[in-house]
Amino acid sequence: MDSAAASIAPDWHVAQWFNAASPLTLEDLRGKVVVLHAFQMLCPGCVTISIPQAQRIARAFDPAHLAVIGIHTEFEHHDVMTPQVLAVFIREFQLGFPIAVDLPGLSGPIPPTMTAYAMQGTPTLILIDRRGRLRKHAFGTEDDMRVGADIAFLLAERELSNDTRL
Amino acid sequence: MDSAAASIAPDWHVAQWFNAASPLTLEDLRGKVVVLHAFQMLCPGCVTISIPQAQRIARAFDPAHLAVIGIHTEFEHHDVMTPQVLAVFIREFQLGFPIAVDLPGLSGPIPPTMTAYAMQGTPTLILIDRRGRLRKHAFGTEDDMRVGADIAFLLAERELSNDTRL
Amino acid sequence: MDSAAASIAPDWHVAQWFNAASPLTLEDLRGKVVVLHAFQMLCPGCVTISIPQAQRIARAFDPAHLAVIGIHTEFEHHDVMTPQVLAVFIREFQLGFPIAVDLPGLSGPIPPTMTAYAMQGTPTLILIDRRGRLRKHAFGTEDDMRVGADIAFLLAERELSNDTRL
Amino acid sequence: MDSAAASIAPDWHVAQWFNAASPLTLEDLRGKVVVLHAFQMLCPGCVTISIPQAQRIARAFDPAHLAVIGIHTEFEHHDVMTPQVLAVFIREFQLGFPIAVDLPGLSGPIPPTMTAYAMQGTPTLILIDRRGRLRKHAFGTEDDMRVGADIAFLLAERELSNDTRL
């Protein structure tokens, strides 16, 4: 994980939300550790490995302190991977955490949130600390022990987040 | 598995083929054992368990004697689960065996091949012997040892298939 | 698998049996397919992969036609890997099939059954057909679909085994 | 996990050490988080699940801050589960962390370290914090994300351990 001197995580650019009553911003989630899980619904590594892991994360930690946010960063098949298909996918796979749809790319295939985070592909796991700082960026899959530990390290920074010197 | 007195497997009703130069019929495949694997691309049990198993079947047996045929029996979301989405799915999951798209249901949501085989849902695994007879019908998932053995039992009926008494 | 022209499997050299009312010979098992599973109780590949597979084999096939026989071919630590330890191992792992203890090596560490079958180590899986012929010899681990299919091919030779021309 | 008000972990009663140049005490390990992994070499849940997990723990965290200690708490078959057998087991399974052999039970089958920690059986996972306090006691198996997180929470208490108020 990156040190606490890391930069602030960029805002999201969202076309549509699922599993959220209203749009969610990083500002809204300040005070919580945020797990940002970027996926595509037809990416095999996402469907078989990282999405089940995101579900285990959501079950393992207290939602009062941790938010799991999915983001569908479609960079290959925007024409057919519509929000209507994603709605079916979310229901069939019983995903319960909020899921954002990244906006279409403006000047190319890469959608803007994916660009803002300099993601190399899917799946990508991003950890953002209680103050909104980007602390971990992992392209591909990581084992549960590493991910569970990294989340816990950020959760343990709770008291420090009230530190007035920062 | 059902006995060799089983009935002839019904024909398929196909809107479109992938991974096939021309439409395939059961008649064309007579002489081979046929593994008919019914799936939906957004069915979790299909994507995580039965599709990888179908790929292992295709790798484990000699294509001169065994044909793996996928059939996309979309009975829930025909409007969004288009052949264009399926084309992406097949490419992303690197499925190499021929895959048929079941026709839309005429008088209801259930597509006609699914109806003809009385399938209860997806995934469903169907084994058809060298003479075109329906020998196994399994809804849900089965372990590799059982499936491998059942396929081998049908492959071993090779000599009998030349039996002139039948 | 080897062809049906394979040689007759050699006899076993057994110090002691577990899970068997009396000593078992290949002659006794003629008419059945025999899965001979050679293992050592402190071999990681055996304990984590091949022994669970042997248990799945024993559950998947009809004992009227298939016999799973374990053989403990201790070639490294005969002094400490005693039958008393093996008895505990068999009970703790709930192994229900007959298990033979290979005799100590006479002129070196390799026990005589292991030598007779030219085994390279553990785990080793041997398949013997209904007539006692050695049809498959696999050192290391193999996937369930391959093993299930190979067993089924041998089981399907049932009728031929009564063929008087052979 | 238990709160930081937990009691001090009891001392170990060790007949013999493996993978340790000299006997290790909890006092020696003060300042580190200690993962105490109680197992028996012929316990299936230990061999197939918890021992591989202990190896993953040892690889995932910095040994300057975390010590994985195995303890062989033989309570069933002391006569045959000798240290000589354990030496073979440790070598074959390539266990690299220090492993203690619990002393034989004095007035019954339960060995004294197992009694001191009130363990119910094997596998048992114990987490001890940097000040030697018992913080987690889990009989059976737990998933990697939970274990990884609990270890990280204790590791994150580093600064507090230098707190002079305690």
Side-chain angles (χ1 to χ4, degrees):
Chain A
M1 272 202 305
D2 296 328
S3 78
S7 59
I8 292 293
D11 283 337
W12 307 326
H13 306 273
V14 176
Q16 182 176 349
W17 282 92
F18 291 95
N19 297 332
S22 58
L24 287 162
T25 66
L26 270 168
E27 193 69 34
D28 297 332
L29 298 167
R30 209 54 52 92
K32 293 189 183 188
V33 173
V34 176
V35 175
L36 181 63
H37 172 244
F39 71 102
Q40 293 181 100
M41 71 183 116
L42 296 189
C43 142
C46 301
V47 174
T48 58
I49 301 178
S50 73
I51 288 172
Q53 184 182 65
Q55 291 175 295
R56 289 195 296 275
I57 294 171
R59 281 194 299 267
F61 295 96
D62 181 355
H65 293 288
L66 182 105
V68 175
I69 306 289
I71 184 156
H72 195 251
T73 53
E74 190 59 58
F75 59 95
E76 292 174 295
H77 311 286
H78 245 298
D79 47 333
V80 299
M81 296 293 93
T82 61
Q84 288 73 31
V85 184
L86 183 59
V88 175
F89 178 84
I90 290 169
R91 188 162 67 250
E92 293 293 329
F93 280 75
Q94 302 182 30
L95 305 185
F97 46 83
I99 292 173
V101 180
D102 204 352
L103 282 171
L106 284 179
S107 55
I110 308 298
T113 309
M114 196 174 177
T115 299
Y117 281 82
M119 293 180 192
Q120 299 167 260
T122 55
T124 288
L125 185 79
I126 305 274
L127 297 187
I128 299 167
D129 71 15
R130 295 175 185 273
R131 297 183 181 177
R133 295 173 301 195
L134 198 54
R135 299 293 291 279
K136 181 186 175 97
H137 180 139
F139 172 47
T141 56
E142 288 206 325
D143 66 64
D144 274 23
M145 192 171 291
R146 180 76 269 139
V147 170
D150 284 344
I151 291 170
F153 283 130
L154 294 184
L155 286 168
E157 293 177 354
R158 180 170 358 184
E159 295 77 12
L160 296 179
S161 68
N162 298 320
D163 190 327
T164 55
R165 288 171 299 182
L166 280 163
Chain B
M1 270 201 308
D2 295 327
S3 79
S7 58
I8 293 293
D11 283 337
W12 305 327
H13 305 274
V14 177
Q16 182 176 349
W17 283 92
F18 290 95
N19 297 332
S22 59
L24 286 163
T25 67
L26 270 167
E27 193 70 33
D28 298 332
L29 298 167
R30 209 55 51 92
K32 294 189 182 188
V33 173
V34 176
V35 175
L36 182 63
H37 172 248
F39 70 102
Q40 293 181 101
M41 73 184 116
L42 296 189
C43 144
C46 301
V47 173
T48 59
I49 301 178
S50 74
I51 288 172
Q53 184 182 64
Q55 292 175 294
R56 288 194 297 275
I57 293 172
R59 279 194 300 266
F61 295 96
D62 180 354
H65 294 287
L66 182 105
V68 175
I69 306 289
I71 183 155
H72 195 251
T73 54
E74 189 60 57
F75 59 96
E76 292 174 296
H77 311 286
H78 245 298
D79 47 333
V80 300
M81 296 293 94
T82 61
Q84 288 73 31
V85 183
L86 183 59
V88 174
F89 178 83
I90 290 169
R91 189 161 66 250
E92 293 293 328
F93 280 75
Q94 302 181 30
L95 304 184
F97 47 83
I99 291 173
V101 180
D102 204 352
L103 282 171
L106 284 178
S107 56
I110 309 297
T113 308
M114 197 174 175
T115 299
Y117 280 81
M119 293 180 192
Q120 299 168 258
T122 54
T124 288
L125 184 79
I126 305 273
L127 297 186
I128 299 168
D129 71 14
R130 294 176 185 272
R131 297 182 184 178
R133 294 173 300 195
L134 200 53
R135 298 292 292 278
K136 183 187 174 98
H137 180 140
F139 171 48
T141 56
E142 288 207 324
D143 66 63
D144 275 22
M145 194 172 291
R146 180 75 269 139
V147 171
D150 285 344
I151 291 170
F153 283 129
L154 295 184
L155 286 169
E157 293 177 354
R158 178 169 2 181
E159 294 76 10
L160 296 178
S161 69
N162 298 322
D163 190 325
T164 55
R165 288 169 298 180
L166 280 161
Chain C
M1 272 199 307
D2 296 327
S3 78
S7 58
I8 293 292
D11 284 336
W12 306 327
H13 305 274
V14 177
Q16 183 176 347
W17 282 91
F18 291 94
N19 297 332
S22 59
L24 287 162
T25 67
L26 270 168
E27 193 71 32
D28 298 332
L29 298 168
R30 209 55 51 92
K32 294 189 182 187
V33 173
V34 176
V35 175
L36 181 63
H37 172 246
F39 72 101
Q40 295 181 100
M41 71 184 116
L42 296 189
C43 143
C46 301
V47 174
T48 59
I49 301 177
S50 73
I51 288 172
Q53 185 182 65
Q55 291 175 295
R56 288 194 297 274
I57 294 171
R59 280 194 301 267
F61 296 96
D62 181 354
H65 294 288
L66 182 106
V68 175
I69 306 289
I71 183 156
H72 195 251
T73 52
E74 189 60 58
F75 58 94
E76 292 173 297
H77 311 286
H78 245 298
D79 47 332
V80 299
M81 295 295 93
T82 61
Q84 288 75 32
V85 183
L86 183 59
V88 174
F89 177 84
I90 290 169
R91 189 162 64 250
E92 293 293 329
F93 279 76
Q94 301 182 32
L95 305 184
F97 47 82
I99 291 173
V101 181
D102 203 353
L103 282 171
L106 283 180
S107 55
I110 309 298
T113 308
M114 196 173 177
T115 300
Y117 280 82
M119 293 179 192
Q120 298 167 261
T122 55
T124 288
L125 184 79
I126 304 274
L127 297 187
I128 299 168
D129 71 14
R130 294 175 186 273
R131 299 185 181 176
R133 294 173 300 194
L134 199 54
R135 297 294 290 280
K136 183 187 172 97
H137 180 139
F139 171 47
T141 56
E142 288 207 326
D143 66 65
D144 275 23
M145 192 171 293
R146 181 76 268 140
V147 170
D150 285 344
I151 291 171
F153 283 129
L154 295 184
L155 286 169
E157 292 177 354
R158 181 168 0 182
E159 296 76 11
L160 296 180
S161 69
N162 298 320
D163 190 326
T164 55
R165 288 171 298 181
L166 282 161
Chain D
M1 271 200 309
D2 295 326
S3 78
S7 59
I8 292 293
D11 284 337
W12 305 326
H13 306 273
V14 177
Q16 183 176 348
W17 282 91
F18 291 94
N19 297 332
S22 58
L24 287 162
T25 67
L26 271 167
E27 192 70 34
D28 298 332
L29 298 168
R30 210 54 53 90
K32 293 189 182 186
V33 173
V34 176
V35 175
L36 182 63
H37 172 246
F39 72 101
Q40 295 180 99
M41 71 183 115
L42 297 189
C43 145
C46 301
V47 174
T48 59
I49 300 176
S50 74
I51 288 172
Q53 185 182 64
Q55 291 175 296
R56 288 194 296 275
I57 294 171
R59 280 194 299 267
F61 296 96
D62 180 353
H65 293 287
L66 181 106
V68 175
I69 306 289
I71 182 156
H72 195 252
T73 53
E74 190 59 57
F75 59 94
E76 291 174 297
H77 310 286
H78 245 299
D79 46 333
V80 300
M81 296 293 93
T82 60
Q84 288 74 31
V85 184
L86 183 59
V88 173
F89 177 83
I90 290 169
R91 189 161 66 249
E92 294 292 329
F93 280 75
Q94 302 182 31
L95 304 184
F97 47 82
I99 292 173
V101 180
D102 204 353
L103 282 170
L106 283 179
S107 56
I110 309 299
T113 307
M114 197 175 176
T115 300
Y117 280 82
M119 291 178 194
Q120 298 168 260
T122 54
T124 289
L125 184 78
I126 304 273
L127 297 186
I128 299 168
D129 71 13
R130 294 176 185 274
R131 297 181 182 179
R133 294 172 301 193
L134 200 54
R135 297 293 291 279
K136 182 187 174 95
H137 180 140
F139 171 47
T141 56
E142 288 206 326
D143 66 64
D144 275 23
M145 194 172 291
R146 181 76 268 138
V147 170
D150 284 344
I151 291 171
F153 283 129
L154 295 184
L155 285 169
E157 293 177 356
R158 179 168 3 181
E159 296 77 10
L160 297 179
S161 69
N162 298 320
D163 190 325
T164 55
R165 288 170 297 180
L166 281 159

